[in-house]
Amino acid sequence: MSTEMHRAVLPALLILAGCDATQPNPIANAQREDKPDFPKADRPVATIVSARWSTEEARDRLNEAELVMDKAGIAPGMTVADIGAGEGYYTIRLAQRVGDDGRVLAEDIIPQIRDALAHRVARERLDNVSVRLGEPDDAKLPVDSFDRVLMVHMYHEIAEPYAFLWNLRPSLRPGGRVVVVDADRRTQNHGTPPALLKCEFEAVGYRMVELQKMPSAGGYIAMFTPEGPRPEPKNIVPCGVPTPTPSAGPSGTHKG
């Protein structure tokens, strides 16, 4: 391999390997291998149809990312995870916001998307970003590492929310928050009713600290923080979804 080719390939390999600030905790990973049983979600799950929710240019015209980052309180020096990062719309802008003293970990569960994002990160020379492959029920985040965890227009695609949120909790630093952006419609229609979102988070020991409508981001923004001990998986009580009636709204509890 020529020196020039080696220089071109090395950054992508380093990004795929992750960064020192977000290396997995071997003890935590050993615990996760136990794979406890979790209750299943009593709701439909949206299919993953695309890594792109809208074009980046259209989203920037609405100032979407800047408004979400402002609402989430993301500041220079923070460590942030972008879950379901896709093509990297938020990853790129988070890297700019947290700066050289901050870190961004971009996660996706589709290897081809993860690889494409890693190459984009290398091409744009974002030295404060690492890219990782997660699993559908576990983002595989290192313990006690993140000030903010973002999930933008992807929560409704999580087939096992209780396992996913339970595995996510240890990754937050004290005062850390999970930030969800989604549409207020039924999960099979690529959204999550806020009441259902709140119920599922609370079932795993989170408390909602904020909920605001956010039309520029396609719906609303909600923020959660861990509260109290993490429940044993067998003690998690799943949330029920009311069956719609002919006179009810899309979920039977709200109007979409």
Side-chain angles (χ1 to χ4, degrees), residues 18 28 34 74 114 120 172 212 250:
D34 294 341
I74 295 172
R114 185 275 313 268
R120 178 180 183 181
L172 290 166
Q212 293 185 35

Side-chain angles (χ1 to χ4, degrees), residues 39-53:
K40 301 298 182 183
D42 184 20
R43 59 168 171 82
V45 177
T47 56
I48 301 175
V49 294
S50 173
R52 175 181 295 179
W53 178 70

Side-chain angles (χ1 to χ4, degrees), residues 220-248:
Y220 63 85
I221 182 171
M223 284 179 272
F224 299 85
T225 190
E227 184 172 74
R230 186 171 60 163
E232 291 294 326
K234 64 182 180 181
N235 294 331
I236 295 173
V237 179
C239 304
V241 179
T243 302
T245 62
S247 61

Side-chain angles (χ1 to χ4, degrees), residues 162-175:
Y162 305 109
F164 186 91
L165 296 174
W166 192 88
N167 287 321
L168 187 70
R169 264 193 57 156
S171 71
L172 290 166
R173 290 173 173 168

Side-chain angles (χ1 to χ4, degrees), residues 11-65:
L13 293 177
L14 290 174
I15 289 166
L16 288 170
C19 61
D20 289 342
T22 54
Q23 286 298 311
N25 182 305
I27 297 176
N29 284 344
Q31 292 171 342
R32 289 174 182 175
E33 288 173 0
D34 294 341
K35 291 289 186 181
D37 292 328
F38 291 89
K40 301 298 182 183
D42 184 20
R43 59 168 171 82
V45 177
T47 56
I48 301 175
V49 294
S50 173
R52 175 181 295 179
W53 178 70
S54 181
T55 67
E56 295 195 5
E57 294 79 8
R59 297 171 83 171
D60 278 345
R61 282 196 295 271
L62 296 172
N63 205 28
E64 178 191 332

Side-chain angles (χ1 to χ4, degrees), residues 158-208:
I158 299 175
E160 297 188 49
Y162 305 109
F164 186 91
L165 296 174
W166 192 88
N167 287 321
L168 187 70
R169 264 193 57 156
S171 71
L172 290 166
R173 290 173 173 168
R177 293 184 174 186
V178 180
V179 181
V180 178
V181 176
D182 214 338
D184 183 2
R185 52 178 177 253
R186 290 188 292 181
T187 52
Q188 64 265 43
N189 295 328
H190 292 271
T192 310
L196 176 62
L197 182 76
K198 181 174 183 286
C199 181
E200 291 184 348
F201 268 82
E202 287 182 346
V204 191
Y206 294 82
R207 175 174 57 88
M208 179 183 279

